[in-house]
Structure formats: structure tokens, C-alpha cells
Amino acid sequence: ALSLTGSQFVVQISYVEVYNERIHDLLSGGGDSANMNTNLRVREARDGVVVDALTHQSVSTAEELLDFVSFGSTQRVVAAMKMNARSSRGHAILSILVRELHGDAGERVGKLSLVDLAGTESSEKSHAMDGASNVPLRREEAKHINKSLWALGTVIEKLSTGSAHVPFRDSKLTRLLQETLNGNSLSAIVVTLRTEQENVDETIGTLRLAQRAKTVRVVAHRNTPASEVGRLKLSIAEMQRQLQAANQNIVELQTALAATEARENAQLQEMHEQARICHEQEDAPLAGSNNAKGRVADAASPQSSSSSSMQTQELPQTPPESAVGGAEAAAAAAAAAEAAAATSANAHKQSQDPFAERERRSLELEIAYLKGKNRQLRALSVLNAATKRWREEMAEAAQQTQSELLSQIDDHEAGIRDRDAEIAHLRALLNELSSQQQQP
């Protein structure tokens, strides 16, 4: 750890080799290649692509860093080939991570990645010293080297043309270099060339790769220190604001629901009032007609009885010569009675029609009322179900977000404690080294 005024720096390095599409941890094993961690898993994390169980060594001086680089280089797989007596059989990536700690103000992180790419392999030009056909492992290494370099060339071509899909997952090499090629990074490429005439094809291919790499556009931003706790507080405040807005939306929905209910109730009351008025208007003419019929019947009854008595009294005085005239009078009376019966039937039918019309209109009003009430109940049911579901979703999201934020805060606090312990350990080492240097 290095200390400056107001800041403290922690420097860590990692060293890996991509060999036959497997990732080897070159800083592990304690110098014994048999105990070295091989075939490590690569996965996506919140901070980018990470390698599980990868060794990160803390250094405080350039000499320590170079010692670790020399140690890792001794664990790389090399072999004597026709074109190179010490040919690398895989790609190596050395990563130097620098953290600038600002106390409660957070931290700023910078990363330098140095990549050593193995050269393309040709079975005709660059085979093993004892012959490619006799060394199957060398052929397998050459196949994976050429495959990963081809994948790297494809990725650079896609990035240079602005393609929507970049196949970083085609190779472990391109997956590890995803942040370097496409992230918040500045990249540089250095190529080595052979000047012999017989190697002109490889030289041209290498120059074309470098030319495509130069056309890749990257946008790097300065990493400004920010407090993780402050960001979490802002996230909590934003979630609380969203929750308040959700509660306000619920209140507005409830208000709109109450207004809709009041409007529907007023409309139903108005329909009932109209039905009552219609019933009263229909009942009034029918009652007057019945009263008039009663008065006519009362007036007609004495006259009929008096006529009957008069006919009874006058009948004996009728002379026998007027029998024909009496028969004609009887026929006329029968016709008048038939006409009166028809008139009475028509009047009865007319008196029954208003009752049927009133019942029909009453039923129509009741049906309209029930339909309106049914629509209102369905609308209220749908609105209540939607409101309930929305409340449950908001409560679940708020609880999940709160749990995630609390977990992130706990992880951040645990990380701070681990860094503090690491810094204390490094300070103790520095003090011990300083005391050893001061001793004669």
C-alpha cells in the first residue's frame, strides 16, 4: 500500500494464461506447476467479467511486482519450435489493479492489462523440433492458438464496423478482453513482424489486424471517486419517492372510484324517479275512466228499470193488431244490445291496454336499472382487483429492493472492513520492512 496526502493506494496483480481454452492461474501453486489452479471458471458479475478463485497478490514496490511477474512466467507452457526456441503455447494476461481510497468519500479504481498473444501457428513453418506429426499435444496447442486469434480478429472487425452483435463468447481470450476492447478503457496494440520474404503472408495478415484494431472507437471516462454508501442512500431515496408516488396514485384511483360510484348512484336515483312519475301519470287517466264508467252505469240502471216497468205496464194494453210492429221492435232491441255489447268489449279492451303498457315500461326500467347496476359492479370488481394486484406488486418490489439495498450495504461494509484489515496488515509489513532496513 502506498500513502499520499488524503489518499491511500492499494496495488494488486493477477496473472493468467489461456492454454487450450483453459485458464491457468500463474500465481498459484507455490512454484509447483502440479498444484497450480487450472481450468478456472469465467462468469459475468456486476463489475464485469471475473474469474473465480483467481489469485490477487498485493504489492507495494516495483520490485515485488516484477518478482511476481517472473514467478508467473516460469509457470507458462513453452516449447521449442522450428521458428522459436522458446515458443509460448498460450496467451498470457497480466492485470495490475490500482485502488485509490478516499476514506468515506469512496474509491477510484484503475486497471492496466498487459496481453502477450501467442503467434499464429503453421504446421509447415512452425512445427515442433521433433516433427509436428510426432507431437499430438503441439498440434492441439496450435489449433487452439489459431482459433482464439481468429476469434480476436473477428471481434476487432465487428467492433471496427459498429456491428450490433460482437461474439466475445467465441473464445476464452476474447471473453477476458471484453472490458479492454469494449469497455471504459484505452487500448494500444503492439505487433511484431518478420522481415523474411518467406513470411510475407503472415506479416501482411498481422498488419491488417493492427489496422482494423486502430479503427475501433473507445470512449473512456475518468473514474471519479464516489461513495458507495452515498449511492445506496440515493437509491433508497429514489425508491421511497417511487413508493410515495405509488401511494398518491392509489389515493387518486380511490377518489375516482368514489366519484364514479356517486355518479352511478345519482343516475340510478334519477331513473327510479322517472319510473315513479311515469307510473303516476299512467294511473291518473285509468282512475278517471273507471269513475266515469261507474257514474254512467249508475245513471243507466234507473232508466232501464223504469223502461222495463213501463213496458210491463203498457204490455197488456198493446192491441193484437200490432204484433208485427212488436216483432220489429224486438229485433231492433236485440241489435242495439249486440252493439252495446261490442262497444263494452272494445271499452274493456282499451281499458286493459294501458295496464299492459305500464307493466311493460316498468319491466324495461327495472331491466335497465339491473343492467346498470351489473355494469357498475363489474367495473368496481375489476378496479378493486387491479388496485389490489398493483399494491401487492409495489409492496413486493419495495421489500425486494429494500432487501437488496440492505444486502449491498452489508457487503459494502464487509468489504470496507476487509480493506481496512488488509491496509492494517500492509502497514504492519511496511513498518516491519522499515525497521529491518534501519537496523545495521
Side-chain angles (χ1 to χ4, degrees), residues 100-356:
E100 181 183 3
L101 306 179
H102 297 267
D104 293 338
E107 66 179 24
R108 184 166 57 187
V109 180
K111 185 178 180 181
L112 173 65
S113 296
L114 302 175
V115 184
D116 178 23
L117 298 175
T120 57
E121 295 285 340
S122 171
S123 60
E124 296 179 356
K125 296 181 179 181
S126 180
H127 53 74
M129 294 300 295
D130 51 355
S133 59
N134 297 326
V135 186
L137 181 59
R138 300 285 89 88
R139 294 200 304 271
E140 189 72 15
E141 293 168 351
K143 181 181 70 175
H144 286 291
I145 289 173
N146 293 335
K147 177 184 176 182
S148 57
L149 290 176
W150 177 265
L152 178 61
T154 303
V155 167
I156 291 177
E157 181 182 3
K158 295 293 184 180
L159 290 174
S160 63
T161 57
S163 177
H165 172 66
V166 182
F168 286 107
R169 293 178 176 270
D170 286 354
S171 171
K172 294 287 182 65
L173 175 65
T174 54
R175 187 113 184 258
L176 292 176
L177 296 180
Q178 181 173 347
E179 277 188 331
T180 304
L181 296 173
N182 196 35
N184 184 22
S185 304
L186 293 176
S187 302
I189 183 171
V190 179
V191 298
T192 57
L193 306 174
R194 300 293 295 261
T195 59
E196 296 85 358
Q197 180 65 29
E198 59 185 14
N199 297 318
V200 64
D201 293 336
E202 289 80 0
T203 300
I204 292 175
T206 303
L207 289 175
R208 286 176 177 173
L209 174 66
Q211 185 178 14
R212 286 197 300 267
K214 286 185 62 177
T215 60
V216 177
R217 294 185 178 182
V218 294
V219 181
H221 302 282
R222 183 178 178 84
N223 293 328
T224 57
S227 173
E228 184 71 16
V229 176
R231 286 196 296 269
L232 293 177
K233 289 181 179 179
L234 291 177
S235 299
I236 293 174
E238 177 65 19
M239 291 300 300
Q240 290 177 348
R241 186 191 65 79
Q242 294 179 1
L243 185 59
Q244 291 178 357
N247 292 331
Q248 182 65 27
N249 194 9
I250 290 174
V251 172
E252 293 177 357
L253 288 174
Q254 291 176 345
T255 304
L257 178 61
T260 302
E261 291 178 349
R263 186 168 57 254
E264 292 289 340
N265 290 331
Q267 292 177 356
L268 293 175
Q269 292 292 336
E270 183 178 357
M271 291 174 62
H272 278 293
E273 184 67 21
Q274 292 178 357
R276 186 184 62 80
I277 294 173
C278 289
H279 289 172
E280 292 179 352
Q281 291 177 353
E282 291 172 354
D283 290 341
L286 293 176
S289 175
N290 292 333
N291 294 333
K293 288 180 180 180
R295 289 193 298 271
V296 170
D298 293 340
S301 296
Q303 183 178 0
S304 301
S305 59
S306 60
S307 300
S308 300
S309 60
M310 290 176 61
Q311 291 175 1
T312 304
Q313 293 174 0
E314 294 175 357
L315 187 56
Q317 299 177 1
T318 302
E321 293 83 7
S322 61
V324 177
E328 293 177 355
E338 184 178 356
T343 303
S344 177
N346 291 331
H348 179 71
K349 182 177 180 181
Q350 292 177 0
S351 65
Q352 291 296 325
D353 289 341
F355 288 102

Side-chain angles (χ1 to χ4, degrees), residues 402-413:
Q402 184 178 5
S403 300
E404 292 178 356
L405 291 176
L406 292 176
S407 177
Q408 292 177 7
I409 291 174
D410 293 339
D411 294 342
H412 180 68
E413 291 177 351

